[in-house]
Amino acid sequence: MSVKRRPSASPEAPVSRIFEVRNAEWLRDICGPHHRHLQLLETRLADYGLKAESQGGGILLVGKAEGVSIAEAVLAELERRLRTGAEISDMDVDGAVEAAQTPSQTFGTFRSLKKPITPQTRGQSRYIDLLANPDNAMIFGVGPAGTGKTFLAVAAGVSELLSGTRQRLIVTRPAVEAGEKLGFLPGTLEEKVDPYMLPIWDSLRELMGQEQMERRMARGEIEVAPLAFMRGRTLKNAFVIVDEAQNTTVPQMKMVLTRLGRDSRMVITGDPGQVDLPGSQPSGLKHALQILSDVEGVNVHTLTAADVVRHGLVSRIIDAYAAHGEG
């Protein structure tokens, strides 16, 4: 990739540059169907008066200097993704724009994973920084669905397990929303629990592969279990993730937080806006955030609708519910 610069008539005049893409197929993918990706780029950078159009073997960018520089960074990231064999979606364009506008382009990294993990938003970048710092013994990652709060926590745990920093990865969550009444479900204990753990299994497979996941489970290095199984234990030299924490009761949250043993870290994830506890039971997550936010050694990071990396419609749905006082 190279950039040809055209001199501006004056410091106030719009900047005009061509971002060259020598691979014709990549150029087509970067532009998107009917140039949809370029249109999205223009929309996201409208404040800079950005215009982007395919021209010959590249993309002509016109607008304020800062906007053109951001657009160049976005296109370079999209080209990098294509070089690794990945495809480009509208969400990738959105994520690249967010990352390009992040003041600091440095962020923590996770080692030894099957796939590289990079932040798609400013909020994710700050969250990854917290997760990648081994000195942060307890982190609360809260926010709406689709912000990556659980997936990134699992990535941090898998990284520490594979690099030998921790001996075990333990993921726990309330098995059902109303008090973990497993006895009412058919089948063995494993069959009862598995449906509630599917998101965790999916993340582990994506980050370390099926074979390695099964091998480490057999050795007891990976444990995925309902919250009730944590009672009475001391979790030493482990990376512990408490998922769907908004559905813990206050006693359950106190119980699991006090399981933290020597040389261990704990990440608690959840969405305070999606509490499924029956009746008027208070959420253990909400209660913990109220009383622990000022405790030394406890880190709280809040992700928002701006950090949603699912379909673009998801963040708008979240905002609509929030506008009506729900979530």
Side-chain angles (χ1 to χ4, degrees):
M1 182 277 295
S2 62
V3 176
K4 292 181 179 178
R5 301 176 184 267
R6 297 181 178 178
S8 301
S10 72
E12 309 301 326
V15 171
S16 176
R17 299 177 193 161
I18 292 181
F19 182 93
E20 290 189 348
V21 184
R22 293 187 173 89
N23 186 308
E25 186 175 344
W26 288 358
L27 177 60
R28 185 191 67 227
D29 291 341
I30 289 174
C31 292
H34 307 294
H35 288 195
R36 188 173 69 221
H37 296 161
L38 296 186
Q39 293 168 8
L40 179 57
L41 184 63
E42 289 179 345
T43 300
R44 291 297 305 272
L45 299 179
D47 289 345
Y48 301 98
L50 184 80
K51 297 298 179 183
E53 62 179 55
S54 177
Q55 187 177 92
I59 297 170
L60 174 64
L61 302 169
V62 181
K64 294 180 181 179
E66 185 180 357
V68 170
S69 295
I70 293 172
E72 288 174 343
V74 171
L75 296 176
E77 170 60 18
L78 298 180
E79 187 177 37
R80 184 197 66 79
R81 287 183 60 83
L82 290 171
R83 194 176 293 116
T84 64
E87 297 180 352
I88 294 176
S89 68
D90 291 358
M91 288 186 291
D92 295 319
V93 178
D94 272 331
V97 172
E98 286 283 352
Q101 294 185 95
T102 301
S104 171
Q105 291 298 305
T106 60
F107 47 85
T109 57
F110 302 139
R111 298 174 292 165
S112 308
L113 300 180
K114 184 180 178 182
K115 59 176 286 186
I117 300 297
T118 57
Q120 299 294 303
T121 68
R122 292 185 184 92
Q124 285 191 354
S125 180
R126 291 190 288 269
Y127 187 41
I128 288 176
D129 281 338
L130 284 173
L131 293 169
N133 186 347
D135 293 331
N136 294 327
M138 183 171 289
I139 300 169
F140 283 82
V142 298
T147 52
K149 57 187 181 294
T150 299
F151 180 78
L152 293 175
V154 174
V158 169
S159 175
E160 292 204 355
L161 178 66
L162 298 184
S163 65
T165 306
R166 311 290 163 195
Q167 292 180 353
R168 290 183 296 162
L169 170 61
I170 300 172
V171 186
T172 183
R173 64 190 301 191
V176 295
E177 61 271 16
E180 303 187 52
K181 298 178 181 178
L182 300 179
F184 292 96
L185 299 174
T188 65
L189 179 60
E190 183 176 338
E191 290 170 338
K192 293 174 182 179
V193 170
D194 263 355
Y196 300 97
M197 304 301 177
L198 283 177
I200 305 302
W201 298 130
D202 290 343
S203 297
L204 289 171
R205 290 188 187 96
E206 184 173 350
L207 292 165
M208 64 193 313
Q210 178 77 24
E211 182 179 344
Q212 181 155 205
M213 181 187 76
E214 291 179 350
R215 185 168 63 250
R216 290 182 178 270
M217 284 183 60
R219 295 204 298 254
E221 296 176 10
I222 296 177
E223 179 182 348
V224 180
L227 196 65
F229 284 34
M230 299 299 110
R231 190 173 301 279
R233 301 175 62 182
T234 300
L235 307 175
K236 300 178 182 178
N237 205 337
F239 192 102
V240 184
I241 300 171
V242 183
D243 189 32
E244 296 291 337
Q246 75 275 4
N247 289 330
T248 61
T249 63
V250 173
Q252 284 176 329
M253 178 60 77
K254 179 183 177 183
M255 177 274 292
V256 73
L257 294 181
T258 54
R259 300 307 93 201
L260 191 66
R262 291 182 181 273
D263 301 317
S264 288
R265 300 179 67 198
M266 182 177 289
V267 181
I268 302 94
T269 65
D271 179 2
Q274 288 192 340
V275 177
D276 298 313
L277 290 169
S280 58
Q281 288 191 77
S283 166
L285 176 61
K286 289 184 176 180
H287 180 262
L289 292 173
Q290 291 170 358
I291 69 172
L292 300 179
S293 59
D294 294 327
V295 173
E296 183 180 356
V298 174
N299 299 273
V300 178
H301 182 70
T302 302
L303 296 153
T304 69
D307 300 302
V308 171
V309 292
R310 291 179 180 171
H311 194 287
L313 183 59
V314 173
S315 60
R316 297 195 293 274
I317 291 173
I318 291 168
D319 286 338
Y321 273 93
H324 283 77
E326 298 181 33

